[in-house]
Amino acid sequence: MSDIEWGRDTRDAGAEEIVRGMGLTATYARVSMSDIDMVDSKRNRGRIDQSDEGTVQEYADAMMRGDRFPAICCRRTGRKSKPLTIAGGWTRTQAKLRAGETDVVALVVLCDDAEFDLLCKRLNTVNGVRTTTRERVLQAAELVMRRGYGAPQAARLMCVDPHTVRSEVVRVQVIQKAAAAGVQLKPEDLSQNDAKAIAKFSDQPVIASALMQYAASPRNGFIPVAKFAEHVKAAPTEAEKLAVIEATKRSGPAAVVRERLRRRASLLFSHLGSIENMVKKWPTLKLLNIEASERSELAKRLALVAEAFRTMQDG
């Protein structure tokens, strides 16, 4: 490495550690920009969003002032023309081009397609515009579903929680099954909890499909899918479950109102229980100036109110 003219590039300790941890062979080299396949590099699977224009300009300005940046990381593909593909450092490369540079120091790695896929994802955790936790969860789920990794291993590699990765895998699977059933579910339509609720009906595809349709409808914002799935599950037979779903579809706003009343009734019922316990105590009766002879009448009226709230709670 001593014979490399580093210029305004420096070694990338974070990338070196990742490459070593993956057991890959790599070496630093000064490479020509013309040897980098920019089209293939732009499809880098480590990035959900492409580089930000403002960041590219900021980097370019810093480079022209003489600031030093970590070397990029490339995969040697073996192609005769443009044999290098960027694994990490796309924004830095674009900035160097804007700054008028024609070559760059790169950590050049030998790896297969699966290793390159993982390398791209992991490099985005150490340099440049970092991936968000949400993006890393999505990438970990992709490793599980497309590359056969276990959730704990994928989570460790992407520095995220394994339970979140498992839940994300379930969510993606539910969305894929919905698409196969002709239901277009957007990722923002379905939380991980909602997806798990639908997945519990995997042995009842008709019910699962109906719940997917409910999740895709605008009404689910008032009664969350997971809560609605609990009501559906309580029905003993498949026919009755479908009847619950259809009734909710027909009632629309009325079902929403009932759900809101049920939630409020639950809270009021809890407060009422506290009041009942209080008025049964003699000091409270004395404080409220309630005669002992009126106690049974008060208890009866409270019982009637409690029953009314119970009815609201049960829908």
Side-chain angles (χ1 to χ4, degrees):
M1 296 182 196
S2 59
D3 59 340
I4 294 176
E5 177 56 47
W6 286 90
R8 286 195 290 271
D9 298 307
T10 66
R11 291 179 60 154
D12 188 340
E16 289 179 27
E17 184 177 353
I18 288 173
V19 169
R20 278 197 304 270
M22 293 178 63
L24 302 176
T25 301
T27 185
Y28 283 103
R30 180 163 285 280
V31 302
S32 170
M33 293 290 191
S34 62
D35 285 335
I36 299 175
D37 187 335
M38 296 297 179
V39 175
D40 193 24
S41 296
K42 193 173 182 179
R43 292 195 292 265
N44 182 330
R45 291 169 290 269
R47 290 183 303 275
I48 291 177
D49 297 316
Q50 296 302 324
S51 56
D52 175 70
E53 175 65 23
T55 305
V56 171
Q57 188 60 52
E58 181 185 340
Y59 284 11
D61 292 342
M63 289 172 182
M64 287 186 280
R65 289 194 302 267
D67 289 2
R68 306 185 78 189
F69 281 75
I72 67 171
C73 184
C74 291
R75 174 197 186 190
R76 188 174 294 281
T77 63
R79 293 187 299 259
K80 290 183 179 180
S81 174
K82 298 187 179 298
L84 301 173
T85 300
I86 297 171
W90 171 258
T91 302
R92 278 167 279 158
T93 303
Q94 295 305 300
K96 281 182 174 293
L97 287 169
R98 187 167 298 185
E101 299 192 27
T102 57
D103 53 24
V104 60
V105 173
L107 181 62
V108 181
V109 182
L110 298 177
C111 58
D112 60 26
D113 290 345
E115 290 167 335
F116 178 67
D117 186 44
L118 176 58
L119 178 63
C120 290
K121 290 175 171 60
R122 297 201 64 196
L123 286 174
N124 274 275
T125 67
V126 297
N127 272 325
V129 183
R130 308 294 175 86
T131 49
T132 64
T133 300
R134 176 66 187 148
E135 288 171 333
R136 294 200 306 277
V137 168
L138 290 172
Q139 291 169 347
E142 183 184 4
L143 289 175
V144 173
M145 299 182 70
R146 291 185 54 195
R147 300 295 183 184
Y149 284 77
Q153 182 187 15
R156 187 171 62 254
L157 290 170
M158 299 312 300
C159 306
V160 290
D161 176 63
H163 298 294
T164 306
V165 174
R166 290 191 189 96
S167 296
E168 183 60 29
V169 168
V170 171
R171 192 178 75 94
V172 173
Q173 288 173 337
V174 168
I175 290 174
Q176 289 176 344
K177 288 178 181 177
V183 180
Q184 295 304 311
L185 266 177
K186 298 176 184 176
E188 58 268 24
D189 290 336
L190 198 69
S191 71
Q192 291 185 346
N193 283 338
D194 290 344
K196 286 192 284 189
I198 293 174
K200 290 178 181 178
F201 292 91
S202 57
D203 59 339
Q204 296 176 279
V206 175
I207 303 300
S209 178
L211 286 172
M212 290 169 187
Q213 291 173 27
Y214 175 77
S217 74
R219 293 188 183 119
N220 77 64
F222 297 101
I223 307 179
V225 176
K227 180 69 175 177
F228 182 56
E230 288 179 18
H231 297 320
V232 174
K233 187 178 180 181
T237 67
E238 183 173 285
E240 289 174 292
K241 287 178 169 61
L242 284 172
V244 170
I245 295 171
E246 289 305 315
T248 304
K249 285 182 181 177
R250 286 195 303 272
S251 57
V256 173
V257 171
R258 279 200 301 273
E259 179 64 20
R260 285 175 172 170
L261 286 173
R262 187 179 292 111
R263 292 175 187 173
R264 284 165 174 73
S266 179
L267 180 62
L268 291 170
F269 185 67
S270 173
H271 292 324
L272 181 63
S274 299
I275 293 171
E276 279 188 293
N277 290 332
M278 288 174 63
V279 299
K280 287 177 182 176
K281 299 175 182 176
W282 174 248
T284 304
L285 293 172
K286 189 174 181 181
L287 183 66
L288 294 174
N289 199 25
I290 296 174
E291 298 292 335
S293 59
E294 298 175 303
R295 183 173 175 177
S296 60
E297 181 62 25
L298 176 62
K300 186 188 298 183
R301 290 180 180 276
L302 284 172
L304 289 171
V305 175
E307 183 58 32
F309 281 135
R310 230 181 250 111
T311 302
M312 289 173 67
Q313 235 183 321
D314 296 337

